[in-house]
Amino acid sequence: VFVLLLGWNTGVQHFLFAGTVLYLFTSYDNKIYRLWYVFLLILIRISLYYYSGYYEPVYVIHKNIEDLFQILNTFFIFFIITEICIVYHAKNLEIEKKLMQYNKKLEKQAATDPLTGLANRRRARDYLMDTVKKYGTENMNFSIAICDVDNFKSINDKYGHDCGDYVLKKVAQIMKSFMERVGYAARWGGEEFLLTFNNCNIDEANQHLYDLMILIRNTGFIYNEQVLKITLTYGLEEYNNNCGIEETIKVADEKMYTGKRMGKNRIIF
């Protein structure tokens, strides 16, 4: 209407570009509908162009007024397009940020044992692989322990599985707090846990493991007014690059079972 009344040279037809940008950012239509909409705007603009070439506007205005309209319309069109892009770019960044946070949350959940809150077996393997890389580049020692709650089946049978869960959660809580300063703790499966002692040879790791063993042994586990004495048996092995991580874990596991056969509640290294 503006073009028909005042002419092509006012530049108002360029608002179709802003309309196109706004529609493409806000529309949830499928691709075909979007293309038809854009095609319709193209036809409107071309039609106005040819109409203006053959017919005079209803109101003929002075060249200076045309120039003023052209400047104002150009300014507003660029401002509107810029504002549309800024707003929707900010929304996209916000959505992307939320997606990243959600993905991180999912990754953390996928890597965390839901009962104990410790890293699960898959995450522990990733951690061990990273540690192995550091072992070669930073000339560091590290040791691995596999440990198992003693008489866990008897605890479940006598007090119920809820009690077993309570024991595992409390053991995990103690391990997590203790291992933060010396290494890493993960739930390996069932009532088994994996511990890594960074920058520790087997003798140094054994001393830390002994302190942890005493700490758990002296902790009162109280369930339904019953005081439980909880102990673990530990197998400890220092990582050797020639053997590899799987063999190191296997040796630590075998040592742990040796400790079980010898009476439990001890460290074999």
Side-chain angles (χ1 to χ4, degrees):
V1 171
F2 198 101
V3 171
L4 297 180
L5 291 176
L6 299 179
W8 180 264
N9 292 334
T10 56
V12 73
Q13 67 278 4
H14 299 315
F15 276 97
L16 293 171
F17 296 143
T20 303
V21 173
L22 181 62
Y23 172 74
L24 293 177
F25 270 114
T26 59
S27 173
Y28 291 96
D29 294 334
N30 62 38
K31 185 178 179 180
I32 299 299
Y33 283 118
R34 293 185 183 193
L35 291 176
W36 274 112
Y37 180 84
V38 173
F39 182 68
L40 176 63
L41 295 183
I42 292 172
L43 289 179
I44 292 173
R45 192 178 188 279
I46 292 173
S47 300
L48 288 173
Y49 173 77
Y50 278 101
Y51 177 89
S52 300
Y54 288 102
Y55 299 97
E56 289 291 329
V58 176
Y59 302 103
V60 178
I61 58 178
H62 193 273
K63 180 68 166 60
N64 291 339
I65 302 299
E66 280 187 347
D67 291 343
L68 179 61
F69 272 122
Q70 185 72 241
I71 292 169
L72 290 174
N73 286 333
T74 300
F75 173 81
F76 280 115
I77 289 162
F78 274 89
F79 174 78
I80 290 169
I81 292 175
T82 302
E83 189 64 23
I84 291 170
C85 292
I86 289 173
V87 168
Y88 284 94
H89 179 64
K91 287 186 176 181
N92 286 337
L93 288 178
E94 183 181 356
I95 292 171
E96 185 177 346
K97 182 180 178 182
K98 288 181 178 179
L99 283 174
M100 290 176 64
Q101 291 173 342
Y102 183 66
N103 286 335
K104 286 181 179 178
K105 183 178 179 181
L106 289 178
E107 288 176 5
K108 184 177 180 181
Q109 289 177 345
T112 303
D113 174 60
L115 177 65
T116 63
L118 294 178
N120 60 21
R121 189 175 187 133
R122 186 180 73 176
R123 178 66 187 95
R125 287 192 177 277
D126 291 340
Y127 178 85
L128 289 171
M129 292 300 105
D130 292 339
T131 306
V132 168
K133 292 176 183 177
K134 293 180 182 178
Y135 178 88
T137 57
E138 300 181 12
N139 195 27
M140 62 176 280
N141 296 322
F142 74 97
S143 299
I144 296 174
I146 297 290
C147 50
D148 183 275
V149 179
D150 294 330
N151 305 313
F152 187 73
K153 186 177 182 303
S154 298
I155 294 171
N156 276 332
D157 291 343
K158 185 174 181 179
Y159 300 104
H161 289 282
D162 287 344
C163 180
D165 290 346
Y166 159 75
V167 169
L168 291 176
K169 285 190 283 188
K170 185 149 187 174
V171 167
Q173 182 182 1
I174 296 170
M175 285 182 174
K176 184 176 182 180
S177 178
F178 182 90
M179 294 300 295
E180 281 178 350
R181 59 187 177 86
V182 294
Y184 187 78
R187 186 180 182 189
W188 197 239
E191 63 269 26
E192 283 190 352
F193 297 88
L194 178 139
L195 309 172
T196 65
F197 297 89
N198 299 333
N199 292 311
C200 292
N201 59 33
I202 195 166
D203 294 318
E204 294 167 332
N206 179 57
Q207 185 57 56
H208 290 306
L209 197 55
Y210 178 79
D211 294 339
L212 176 62
M213 181 178 70
I214 297 301
L215 177 62
I216 294 175
R217 183 191 296 171
N218 292 337
T219 297
F221 288 71
I222 303 174
Y223 183 79
N224 288 343
E225 300 181 356
Q226 295 288 326
V227 179
L228 311 175
K229 287 298 180 181
I230 302 300
T231 62
L232 283 82
T233 302
Y234 308 81
L236 179 64
E237 178 67 9
E238 183 176 346
Y239 175 75
N240 186 318
N241 203 31
N242 294 326
C243 297
I245 196 69
E246 294 298 334
E247 185 63 24
T248 304
I249 294 172
K250 181 181 178 182
V251 172
D253 194 55
E254 290 172 350
K255 288 182 177 181
M256 187 262 292
Y257 279 106
T258 298
K260 291 283 189 182
R261 290 192 294 271
M262 292 174 62
K264 306 175 183 177
N265 188 25
R266 65 191 66 222
I267 302 170
I268 304 297
F269 70 102

